[in-house]
Amino acid sequence: MEITIWDEYYELLPRKELEKIQLNRLKRTLIRAYHNLPYYRHKLEAEGIDIHRFKTMQDLKHLPFTCKEDLRRAYPFGAIAEPLRNIVRIHSSSGSTGSATVVGYTAGDIEIWAELMARTLTGSGASEEDIVQVAFGYGLFTGGLGAHYGAERIGATVVPMSTGNTARQVQILQDFNISVLCCTPSYALYLAEVAQEQKVDWSKTRFRIGIFGAEPWSEEMRADLEQKLPIQAFDIYGLSEIIGPGVGFECQARAGLHVSEDHFIPEIINPDTGEVLPPGETGELVITTITKEGTPVIRYRTGDVSSLIPEPCACGRTLTRIKRIKARTDDMLIIRGVNVYPSQIESALLSFKELEPHYQIVITKENFMDRVDIKVEVAPEFFSDEVKTLEKLKQSIEEKLRAELNIHCHLRLMEPKSIERTSGKSNRVVDLRKKEGLT
Ligand code: DLL
């Protein structure tokens, strides 16, 4: 395993020194938040917390959380802690689950973001020798510009494609000798499919690294992508409210995502009680920014389910790791009383070599009972006109789903390429019970 590190000082800092830096930065952030963010000051005052008495990292757990709703209520600029003349960029998350949150960046924030994305890209082995195709969306979404600035920072050559026009993306990938691709994992799948149709000969390309994130994806999906494309695939994590991509990244060990703790403090909490959980336990990821100037957030509840990995990483970085995010606290489906995460369904489906990772899950009510319908595509080489063959396959998948999830799912095997492709984040779960007000 070849190990490449962008910032050898901070990424390898002994924990004691790191903790000193964190405490100083955190205290400064708290004072700024108290003076410049009325919504957070009100929270502190309501709970009778005097931030001037904040002494050790242990005190963090007594501070109130920031929720998405707080940022939404502050729309448009109420979560910005600087005069607007100091803000050089605005990003916004439309949010798959509600109205927008707005995040402001100072020039200093943009500088730090570029450094964090430089760590991310270097962690995967990318360098100034690489040509990077950025196929995350450019715009209010943070993916495109985040990856762009990081790739420029490491001295790579950037090709700012944004999303869409997939045939052209595949052409550019070959013509421009692209070696690194940044996009959502579902878009990478789509690209792989179009490349296959065009009979791309990968041995004639320099393509070697995929940097994927912005949505949950499984180990099975990673294996599938690495089989279809000539790459090693890396998971990157982030969210606009914190900075965008660059919050967590996989190194070459690919055993969890490093969090740049000199900028962000991660905690894992029990989402029901708010209690902080010890390393290793699974719960909701909470992040405090300690260097952000534009939109600092304290104990932000990400809604993402993860755990802290306490063991040191084989790469030598001292930065802690989080487990890859498989789910959000709010995407757990309760089906006839059974808790099911969409990622469990994906893992079960992708354990069948006959299936493609293109699927859709639809939940409805039938005679007051929950009903799950799953449409999934069959790989072209296994799609047959023989009803008997497909029926047998369908039965064994349904059995597997029942064994793993404890519920019956109605499966429909679909023709290859019949489910709509996306170029950004995919939307694989449609819960019609909510729409109908039936839950
Ligand atoms: O998705 C930022 C980003 C861009 C991350 C490009 C990685 C790459 P938002 O649009 O605000 O920001 O969405 C953030 O997406 O809370 C997670 O639920 C989900 N998410 C992001 N990365 C991952 C990942 C960007 N690697 C929300 N695995 C987060 C699972 C992810 N979920």
Side-chain angles (χ1 to χ4, degrees):
M1 182 176 74
E2 195 208 342
I3 290 163
T4 43
I5 297 181
W6 174 252
D7 187 331
E8 294 202 347
Y9 182 75
Y10 280 108
E11 294 183 61
L12 301 173
L13 205 59
R15 299 281 323 166
K16 274 236 151 62
E17 282 175 48
L18 176 66
E19 280 163 20
K20 251 195 251 159
I21 292 173
Q22 283 183 318
L23 186 60
N24 275 332
R25 291 181 171 179
L26 177 58
K27 282 183 181 167
R28 255 189 289 154
T29 300
L30 285 176
I31 289 168
R32 280 169 51 76
Y34 179 77
H35 289 289
N36 300 354
L37 293 175
Y39 83 88
Y40 202 71
R41 182 166 64 243
H42 295 150
K43 274 185 185 249
L44 289 167
E45 285 170 352
E47 300 200 13
I49 293 170
D50 177 2
I51 43 128
H52 299 98
R53 287 172 54 190
F54 189 98
K55 290 269 155 10
T56 73
M57 290 303 270
Q58 296 310 313
D59 295 331
L60 182 61
K61 61 175 177 290
H62 302 302
L63 296 177
F65 294 113
T66 303
C67 304
K68 201 168 188 112
E69 207 38 50
D70 293 317
L71 301 184
R72 282 187 183 141
R73 271 199 296 267
Y75 180 89
F77 295 152
I80 294 182
E82 283 284 320
L84 274 186
R85 67 171 174 280
N86 295 343
I87 298 295
V88 300
R89 175 100 62 82
I90 301 276
H91 281 285
S92 164
S93 142
S94 65
S96 43
T97 50
S99 56
T101 57
V102 177
V103 184
Y105 299 68
T106 63
D109 292 333
I110 298 282
E111 167 65 26
I112 287 172
W113 194 15
E115 280 292 306
L116 295 173
M117 283 308 290
R119 292 183 190 182
T120 300
L121 283 143
T122 308
S124 73
S127 74
E128 61 196 354
E129 304 294 337
D130 282 295
I131 306 182
V132 181
Q133 181 161 338
V134 179
F136 281 121
Y138 281 65
L140 285 175
F141 175 59
T142 50
L145 283 165
H148 186 110
Y149 274 54
E152 280 189 355
R153 179 57 55 100
I154 64 169
T157 309
V158 187
V159 182
M161 291 297 288
S162 197
T163 52
N165 205 343
T166 311
R168 180 136 191 264
Q169 301 256 10
V170 172
Q171 197 61 49
I172 296 274
L173 218 140
Q174 300 167 83
D175 296 348
F176 289 9
N177 283 332
I178 299 296
S179 47
V180 179
L181 172 71
C182 304
C183 63
T184 59
S186 48
Y187 193 49
L189 264 180
Y190 185 18
L191 243 134
E193 190 175 84
V194 173
Q196 200 195 12
E197 279 167 11
Q198 294 182 3
K199 304 206 169 29
V200 172
D201 178 356
W202 291 121
S203 68
K204 296 210 172 94
T205 69
R206 284 183 61 212
F207 194 18
R208 65 187 191 100
I209 295 174
I211 297 183
F212 305 138
E215 64 183 2
W217 53 306
S218 58
E219 278 305 321
E220 289 82 0
M221 174 90 90
R222 180 180 350 234
D224 192 66
L225 281 164
E226 291 187 344
Q227 190 251 318
K228 289 178 171 152
L229 297 170
I231 56 164
Q232 261 204 313
F234 293 83
D235 189 13
I236 66 167
Y237 167 75
L239 56 167
S240 11
E241 292 82 0
I242 300 300
I243 203 156
V247 177
F249 63 94
E250 276 186 335
C251 62
Q252 279 103 333
R254 300 197 297 174
L257 288 84
H258 289 283
V259 176
S260 285
E261 289 170 282
D262 46 334
H263 299 281
F264 312 116
I265 301 179
E267 299 171 275
I268 298 290
I269 62 159
N270 174 330
D272 299 322
T273 63
E275 172 208 2
V276 176
L277 299 176
E281 281 192 31
T282 300
E284 180 178 349
L285 177 65
V286 166
I287 299 177
T288 300
T289 68
I290 53 174
T291 51
K292 275 279 285 293
E293 296 172 330
T295 310
V297 283
I298 292 151
R299 305 198 80 203
Y300 183 69
R301 292 188 65 157
T302 65
D304 294 318
V305 178
S306 183
S307 60
L308 295 174
I309 303 175
E311 296 82 27
C313 183
C315 74
R317 283 177 182 79
T318 48
L319 302 174
T320 196
R321 284 169 296 159
I322 52 170
K323 270 231 169 99
R324 72 189 301 177
I325 283 127
K326 285 198 186 151
R328 293 184 48 79
T329 49
D330 54 11
D331 73 7
M332 185 181 76
L333 302 163
I334 303 180
I335 294 164
R336 277 173 250 142
V338 180
N339 298 349
V340 177
Y341 281 110
S343 58
Q344 289 174 287
I345 299 184
E346 176 175 305
S347 293
L349 292 177
L350 295 195
S351 65
F352 286 86
K353 63 178 185 319
E354 293 91 344
L355 298 182
E356 287 287 320
H358 299 288
Y359 61 91
Q360 194 177 41
I361 305 166
V362 180
I363 303 133
T364 48
K365 285 265 184 197
E366 188 182 59
N367 299 329
F368 302 102
M369 294 279 283
D370 299 326
R371 176 186 160 112
V372 184
D373 286 277
I374 301 174
K375 289 193 225 168
V376 59
E377 281 182 22
V378 178
E381 63 272 32
F382 294 103
F383 196 76
S384 111
D385 288 337
E386 274 223 27
V387 178
K388 245 186 16 222
T389 321
L390 286 179
E391 190 52 38
K392 225 169 118 203
L393 175 63
K394 173 176 161 342
Q395 264 175 18
S396 48
I397 301 166
E398 282 185 346
E399 269 160 34
K400 168 105 182 176
L401 286 165
R402 186 197 287 278
E404 306 252 316
L405 312 172
N406 259 326
I407 50 166
H408 175 68
C409 301
H410 299 264
L411 196 78
R412 222 167 109 200
L413 295 177
M414 307 288 289
E415 252 183 73
K417 300 184 190 148
S418 55
I419 292 175
E420 203 193 339
R421 309 292 191 248
T422 50
S423 57
K425 298 184 193 236
S426 57
N427 191 9
R428 296 193 172 103
V429 184
V430 185
D431 192 344
L432 293 172
R433 297 173 304 177
K434 284 186 193 143
K435 236 189 202 157
E436 293 157 8
L438 291 169
T439 42

